[in-house]
Amino acid sequence: MYMNHHNGTKPSFAMALLPIALTLLLLTIQLFVFNDFTPHIPLAIGIGITAILARFRGYKWHYIEGGVFNALRIALPSIAILITVGMIVAIWIASGTVPVLIYYGLKLLSPEFFLASGMLLCAIVSVSLGTSWGTVSTIGLALVGIGAGFNIPIYWTAGAVVSGAFFGDKMSPLSDTTNLAPAVTGVNLFDHIKNMLPTTFPSMLIALCIYLFVGFNVVDTQSVDFTSINVITTGLETSFNLSAWLLLPPAIVLFLSLKRMPSLPSLFAGVIAGAALAITLQGFSLHETFQFMQNGFSINTGVTELDSLLNRGGIQSMAWVITLVMISLGFGGALERTHCLEIIIEVILKKTHSFFGLQAAAMGTAFATNLVAGDPYLSISLPGRMFAPAYIKRGYSKLNLSRAVEEGGTLISPLIPWNAGGAVVITSLGLGIAEGNIENLLYIPFAFACWLSPLIGLIYAATGRFSPKLSTAEHDQLPTAATQDMDPIEA
């Protein structure tokens, strides 16, 4: 233990683990003993535990507070997107955009191919938009409505939506996480995307085959009640003026994204277009449109299933997610500022003696940061910075690291319910976990592409396949001291 310039000592490994262990214990009690799926308070207490333990090691509160607030400043773009997503969900329902997607989906899609088609549709949209959250809350929401009409359990639909949407977030050059991973590891963006293809496409192909098998053999498509579907489509026809014009908002968002416009203004343009259609085609007043953006859309169609699907959205609906993101990021910021995460990673690196171990450690650290801090950005940036020298020293390209942190960060994020990604999925798709519908957490194992891709990556690391060594170009960019310390290890 030694003092730093802020008069605080770095923790031992046990002390670094202690605030994390105590916070996870509180989360376990809240979730599984109290059966209360609101992780906010245990995570908030976790910030306090981290601060108290750090205070005993000499850290001043204002320094710890700085780490918390710095993490929140980093999260502001994500919070802005969440606010916009809340508006877009409500206004795309009010405009008729989501209803028309549900309507034609029920008319054109077959139950057998629904899950596979839904995954592919979300993948295409997410690659185009560069945002998994935007895809889940718009196209994903429409697919939930179609799946309900086909009598397909919502957790199957959610699994397919998440598989497709987060594939796009991982592979799109417009995605913030896809840009973050190569930025923090120091590799080229398009080399990074190319290096992810060997894990991404096999996992998507396997997931596609599973969803096709489920559609034909597991989901009881023979018992689909077409009378119920007719009731839903009739209710949509009665409640909304349906036309092809209603596809204009997603078309505008897609066009702006393809023109390399940032996600936030692109999505907000979709809000404005949706509001214009809600007023001109659906007959809502400007004040009603503002109310929908703020508090969510509300309608009484007389069809219970339809009302439960359409009555949602608004900025206020994202308050649960936004506060969770802020608290979990604050916890992660406190752990990082007091060197707890740094010490844990240093110990892991000292015990890593093979390339497989290095890949597993980088991916596992990204996963654990997602689990503890609840933030996909920290889960990519922290191990991305900390592990990079180890790859150089051992003669392996940092492209391996950028892929590992992307798969342990981006793809695992939606599978952790209190993570920002998982909270967006649960809230946007209306899974109702906080209301006691715990069975809907089955979407986690059914999001096959998200956990198959890291698994395939580990297989490659164990066999040495698709695991590039340090290239001549990378080697030439290294300082002389770094090349002198290289000790390449066996894969």
Side-chain angles (χ1 to χ4, degrees), residues 81-357:
I81 287 177
L82 287 171
I83 291 171
T84 308
V85 163
M87 290 191 288
I88 212 170
V89 168
I91 212 65
W92 280 20
I93 296 174
S95 68
T97 298
V98 170
V100 82
L101 290 171
I102 296 173
Y103 179 83
Y104 285 114
L106 289 171
K107 292 285 189 181
L108 300 175
L109 289 176
S110 68
E112 292 83 0
F113 290 97
F114 169 70
L115 292 175
S117 301
M119 184 194 77
L120 291 176
L121 178 61
C122 285
I124 293 169
V125 171
S126 190
V127 168
S128 302
L129 300 183
T131 167
S132 54
W133 296 358
T135 303
V136 165
S137 59
T138 54
I139 304 301
L141 176 59
L143 288 170
V144 165
I146 298 167
F150 289 149
N151 202 29
I152 294 174
I154 191 172
Y155 44 79
W156 273 114
T157 304
V161 167
V162 169
S163 285
F166 283 82
F167 158 86
D169 206 354
K170 177 189 174 188
M171 297 301 295
S172 174
L174 303 177
S175 166
D176 46 7
T177 56
T178 308
N179 281 273
L180 177 63
V184 297
T185 55
V187 300
N188 177 269
L189 170 62
F190 290 98
D191 288 342
H192 166 65
I193 293 173
K194 181 180 177 181
N195 194 53
M196 290 194 294
L197 294 177
T199 58
T200 303
F201 277 103
S203 62
M204 288 292 286
L205 184 60
I206 294 170
L208 183 67
C209 292
I210 293 173
Y211 292 133
L212 284 172
F213 176 82
V214 169
F216 280 92
N217 298 281
V218 178
V219 175
D220 187 10
T221 55
Q222 300 302 317
S223 66
V224 173
D225 185 359
F226 286 97
T227 303
S228 175
I229 291 176
N230 289 334
V231 169
I232 293 174
T233 55
T234 302
L236 291 170
E237 289 174 334
T238 304
S239 304
F240 298 91
N241 292 317
L242 302 179
S243 76
W245 286 107
L246 301 178
L247 300 177
L248 189 60
I252 289 174
V253 174
L254 182 59
F255 173 78
L256 293 176
S257 297
L258 293 176
K259 288 292 185 180
R260 301 295 181 90
M261 281 282 287
S263 295
L264 190 59
S266 298
L267 289 172
F268 194 74
V271 173
I272 299 302
L277 290 175
I279 294 169
T280 57
L281 288 186
Q282 308 303 338
F284 293 112
S285 68
L286 180 61
H287 182 242
E288 286 176 312
T289 305
F290 286 170
Q291 286 290 320
F292 295 150
M293 291 185 194
Q294 174 68 18
N295 300 312
F297 183 69
S298 179
I299 193 172
N300 183 9
T301 65
V303 181
T304 304
E305 298 84 358
L306 198 55
D307 292 344
S308 64
L309 178 68
L310 298 179
N311 292 339
R312 64 180 68 236
I315 292 175
Q316 292 302 318
S317 73
M318 287 291 156
W320 193 93
V321 180
I322 291 169
T323 51
L324 177 57
V325 168
M326 293 176 66
I327 294 169
S328 61
L329 266 178
F331 179 48
L335 290 171
E336 185 176 23
R337 180 59 67 95
T338 57
H339 299 283
C340 292
L341 298 179
E342 176 187 335
I343 293 298
I344 293 169
I345 292 176
E346 285 178 358
V347 171
I348 291 171
L349 278 170
K350 287 178 182 177
K351 296 182 179 296
T352 302
H353 304 295
S354 67
F355 174 67
F356 172 79

